Amino acid sequence: MTGCSYGSANGLDFGEVEATQCVKALDNQDWLFSMDSLSNDSRSTLTLESAALVDASGMELVESFVSPSIDNIGLGVRSGWPPHDLAHNPRWTEKTPLKGSTLEPREQNQRMLLLHLRITRIPAEAKGVDVIYKRGNAMGTARTSIAIQAKSACF
């Protein structure tokens, strides 16, 4: 599987982009994080199992979804859940829970990884996101290389 960061061969892979996304936030604020798109570069169907924040402090992952396309949702971080500007977007309403979602082999259409994050204290950070998936009976993990930070001010 491929996307914007990095992962394992023959399955879910996020590429090699390294970045940090900083948002100006308040305690107990909900956010949409949609910085990674997913596709399957293997020859087998992949079943997505879960997502988890890596080395997180001051934030928690509330729920995770995939959207059938990155069109009209776009990459970025938005405050609120659901984000006001996406509440009536057809692509937003087509999102499905990450757990149990499948990606067919060599699927050309990318899926957007949508994470509902809650900032529990400032400053907050996570070094990335792990996506756990199954290919047949084998489990795999792909880790984004996009770190997330929430601060009272970002420079």
Side-chain angles (χ1 to χ4, degrees):
M1 188 186 248
T2 60
C4 298
S5 299
Y6 71 88
S8 60
N10 298 315
L12 180 62
D13 182 16
F14 286 104
E16 298 180 6
V17 174
E18 291 188 27
T20 299
Q21 177 69 47
C22 182
V23 295
K24 183 178 177 182
L26 303 171
D27 290 352
N28 298 314
Q29 193 173 27
D30 290 325
W31 288 84
L32 164 65
F33 178 77
S34 61
M35 295 298 296
D36 282 302
S37 59
L38 309 172
S39 60
N40 182 354
D41 66 356
S42 76
R43 295 183 178 161
S44 303
T45 298
L46 302 180
T47 302
L48 304 178
E49 295 293 316
S50 63
L53 297 175
V54 178
D55 296 331
S57 65
M59 71 174 63
E60 60 186 25
L61 176 59
V62 177
E63 52 195 342
S64 54
F65 299 91
V66 291
S67 173
S69 171
I70 62 173
D71 295 340
N72 299 321
I73 288 180
L75 297 171
V77 181
R78 293 178 170 92
S79 65
W81 188 269
H84 179 70
D85 64 325
L86 293 178
H88 301 291
N89 182 313
R91 291 294 185 198
W92 179 254
T93 60
E94 293 173 0
K95 71 186 182 311
T96 58
L98 179 134
K99 183 168 179 56
S101 292
T102 58
L103 293 172
E104 296 302 317
R106 309 286 183 193
E107 189 172 333
Q108 296 299 311
N109 294 329
Q110 294 181 340
R111 307 273 180 94
M112 178 62 74
L113 176 62
L114 305 171
L115 303 176
H116 175 185
L117 302 179
R118 179 163 297 133
I119 307 304
T120 58
R121 67 175 163 73
I122 297 295
E125 71 176 336
K127 293 184 178 165
V129 177
D130 279 347
V131 176
I132 312 302
Y133 64 95
K134 269 197 309 194
R135 187 181 58 180
N137 292 324
M139 299 296 288
T141 301
R143 178 171 291 175
T144 70
S145 59
I146 299 176
I148 310 163
Q149 295 180 341
K151 299 178 178 182
S152 55
C154 295
F155 303 99

